[in-house]
């Protein structure tokens, strides 16, 4: 099978409020694919697609219950940062926009610097700056 593209679908309580949150963090959206009930977010240089779907619409797709993010996590979404400063900035912006930082910016294993935050719907995001010159051999 030749896969042309992979994307991630996330349930959200309010697609437009979630779009505002991620726009504040600096992420971009395809406006032509944004409706009252969904938003198409692009991540990274490859424009990885993250679709934000209103919960009722999402439930129709999965034919199952949605995970209660206040009690558990099903996924950790990781994105890279260009610098330690960018990690700090994303943590600050997440707080400003109404998110929750569960992992304050800090060193990890001597060669990574990162933070963790929850978006408005409790999905957990991991932001990492990796200095491969310091990675143990």
């Amino acid at each position: 099978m030749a896969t042309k593209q992979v994307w991630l679908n996330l349930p959200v309580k309010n697609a437009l409020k979630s779009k505002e949150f991620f726009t504040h963090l600096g992420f971009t959206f395809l406006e032509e694919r944004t409706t009252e009930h969904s938003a198409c977010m692009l991540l990274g240089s490859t424009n990885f697609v993250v679709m934000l779907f209103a919960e009722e619409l999402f439930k129709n797709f999965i034919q199952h219950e949605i995970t209660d993010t206040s009690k558990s996590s099903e996924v950790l979404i990781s994105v890279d940062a260009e610098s330690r400063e960018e990690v700090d900035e994303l943590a600050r912006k997440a707080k400003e926009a109404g998110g929750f930082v569960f992992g304050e910016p800090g060193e990890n294993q001597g060669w990574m610097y990162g933070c963790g935050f929850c978006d408005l719907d409790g999905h957990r995001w991991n932001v990492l700056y990796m200095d491969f010159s310091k990675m143990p051999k």
Side-chain angles (χ1 to χ4, degrees), residues 84 106-114 128-131 134:
R84 294 167 64 104
E107 290 278 338
N108 188 344
Q109 300 178 31
W111 63 282
M112 293 182 285
Y113 183 82
L128 281 177
Y129 166 67
M130 295 174 277
D131 185 347
K134 294 180 181 179

Side-chain angles (χ1 to χ4, degrees), residues 7-103:
W7 61 91
L8 177 67
N9 300 313
L10 290 177
V12 297
K13 291 183 183 7
N14 183 311
L16 298 181
K17 284 189 185 211
S18 291
K19 181 179 179 265
E20 286 176 21
F21 174 85
F22 286 108
T23 298
H24 187 80
L25 271 62
F27 295 106
T28 58
F29 287 81
L30 285 178
E31 295 302 327
E32 64 273 13
R33 292 192 190 166
T34 296
T35 71
E36 180 183 348
H37 304 291
S38 65
C40 180
M41 183 168 63
L42 303 176
L43 297 181
S45 59
T46 61
N47 287 329
F48 181 82
V49 173
V50 177
M51 290 298 301
L52 307 173
F53 287 109
E55 288 180 345
E56 289 308 312
L57 186 56
F58 189 82
K59 279 184 184 180
N60 287 334
F61 299 150
I62 63 171
Q63 299 179 16
H64 202 262
E65 289 302 310
I66 294 172
T67 299
D68 181 349
T69 57
S70 70
K71 296 179 182 176
S72 64
S73 296
E74 188 171 30
V75 65
L76 175 65
I77 305 156
S78 297
V79 296
D80 69 336
E82 295 286 325
S83 65
R84 294 167 64 104
E85 294 76 22
E86 186 178 5
V87 171
D88 294 341
E89 181 181 359
L90 279 169
R92 179 183 55 77
K93 286 182 174 182
K95 286 180 192 177
E96 287 174 358
F100 170 71
V101 174
F102 65 85

